[in-house]
Amino acid sequence: MVMTCLCASSVLMANGFSAFHIKMMSLLIIVVSQFFFYCLIGEQFSTMNQQIGDCVYFKLVKCKDPMLSRAGLLVILRTQKPLQLTAMGITTYTASLFTFTVTMRSAYAGLNVLYNSS
């Protein structure tokens, strides 16, 4: 979020157009698109996990073997955990499109504060 705010504010507040602006815009596009693709893949991974868990559950309903039922329950428990991104070992974010949306809204709010303060 901080990188996004700083890149966008440096482009908006500068006079004229130079090679620095092109570098900042390309950096901004790269950072946002990389974060978007991480969140998109995390969303798809979560959807696939949910489908796998549902499939195993519906197969366990008909299962009579207790060993197979235990293994299936472990698979179901694992598929309920979302994919998470960790930032410097401090903060954990669930990789989803909702996380991307919240982060972009926060970055835009920070950009507005920086832009209106000058």
Side-chain angles (χ1 to χ4, degrees):
M1 182 184 93
V2 174
M3 177 82 74
T4 307
C5 285
L6 292 177
C7 289
S9 67
S10 67
V11 170
L12 287 176
M13 292 181 190
N15 296 331
F17 193 72
S18 66
F20 175 75
H21 295 100
I22 294 172
K23 288 179 186 177
M24 283 294 129
M25 285 301 291
S26 62
L27 181 64
L28 178 66
I29 291 169
I30 289 169
V31 167
V32 170
S33 63
Q34 183 180 14
F35 184 60
F36 172 75
F37 286 122
Y38 281 146
C39 290
L40 181 67
I41 289 172
E43 182 80 24
Q44 291 174 348
F45 186 73
S46 296
T47 303
M48 287 173 37
N49 263 349
Q50 184 179 5
Q51 290 173 348
I52 290 171
D54 291 344
C55 183
V56 170
Y57 173 76
F58 290 122
K59 293 294 180 183
L60 284 181
V61 171
K62 301 175 186 174
C63 181
K64 304 291 185 203
D65 185 21
M67 291 296 285
L68 191 59
S69 295
R70 280 188 221 136
L73 286 175
L74 289 174
V75 170
I76 290 172
L77 285 174
R78 177 58 190 111
T79 59
Q80 291 177 348
K81 295 180 184 177
L83 178 66
Q84 296 182 336
L85 300 172
T86 304
M88 296 174 43
I90 301 169
T91 315
T92 305
Y93 296 103
T94 302
S96 65
L97 293 177
F98 178 74
T99 305
F100 177 77
T101 305
V102 168
T103 306
M104 288 298 109
R105 283 182 186 165
S106 300
Y108 183 70
L111 176 65
N112 278 335
V113 168
L114 285 173
Y115 187 71
N116 291 331
S117 67
S118 63

